[in-house]
Amino acid sequence: MVTNTSGKKKTAVARATVSEGEGRVRINSQPVELVDPEMARLKMLEPFRIAGEQLRDEMDIDIRVEGGGVSGQADAVRTAIARGIVQHTNDAELRDAYMEFDRSLLVNDVRQSEPKKWGGPGARARYQKSYR
């Protein structure tokens, strides 16, 4: 059985394909072990730490991720993997464990940075006003 899922964070979008296999996890056709920085790799593999490493040996996960930065992509991949595992195994207990650990494992984060406006250096901050 093949399962397709996706995850989003800011402007990063990750699409995962989960299939029966022997534990290969590829991100943009590269093994997840080659992902740098290490913090991003650890964040991507978080769903396996909660579900148990033996679950990883039963499936192959192929992920395409685009947009955003390193951290946003890591969060998007993390969500896509967790959703894929839950759909593939159809395990309600695992779903509850993910929700209890961190809701963003299964739910996309819709927050976006606010666009900059005129009259200031950022979205809300204004330039200082001089009276003298």
Side-chain angles (χ1 to χ4, degrees):
M1 186 175 95
V2 176
T3 308
N4 291 315
T5 58
S6 69
K8 289 182 182 180
K9 172 74 175 187
K10 294 188 177 178
T11 56
V13 180
R15 293 177 185 88
T17 304
V18 182
S19 57
E20 300 295 328
E22 55 265 358
R24 282 194 298 260
V25 178
R26 287 203 202 90
I27 294 165
N28 292 340
S29 303
Q30 278 193 331
V32 72
E33 287 75 23
L34 298 179
V35 171
D36 255 3
E38 187 181 357
M39 287 306 294
R41 181 179 342 123
L42 293 174
K43 186 157 238 176
M44 289 174 184
L45 294 175
E46 222 169 41
F48 291 115
R49 252 181 259 110
I50 298 161
E53 288 293 329
Q54 73 278 358
L55 190 67
R56 181 178 173 176
D57 299 334
E58 301 168 10
M59 57 184 71
D60 284 348
I61 302 179
D62 211 5
I63 301 151
R64 295 282 310 149
V65 62
E66 53 196 26
V70 175
S71 185
Q73 285 190 353
D75 278 332
V77 167
R78 173 181 182 242
T79 301
I81 289 174
R83 281 182 172 178
I85 292 171
V86 168
Q87 275 187 26
H88 192 74
T89 59
N90 217 3
D91 188 355
E93 284 181 28
L94 182 60
R95 185 180 190 286
D96 294 340
Y98 281 154
M99 282 300 234
E100 191 177 314
F101 179 76
D102 185 4
R103 189 166 184 269
S104 69
L105 275 167
L106 298 175
V107 180
N108 287 330
D109 191 351
V110 296
R111 293 175 293 178
Q112 294 278 339
S113 66
E114 196 174 337
K116 181 197 176 297
K117 286 126 186 143
W118 53 271
R124 299 285 174 101
R126 300 293 98 193
Y127 293 125
Q128 282 191 347
K129 185 173 168 184
S130 170
Y131 286 102
R132 275 179 205 92

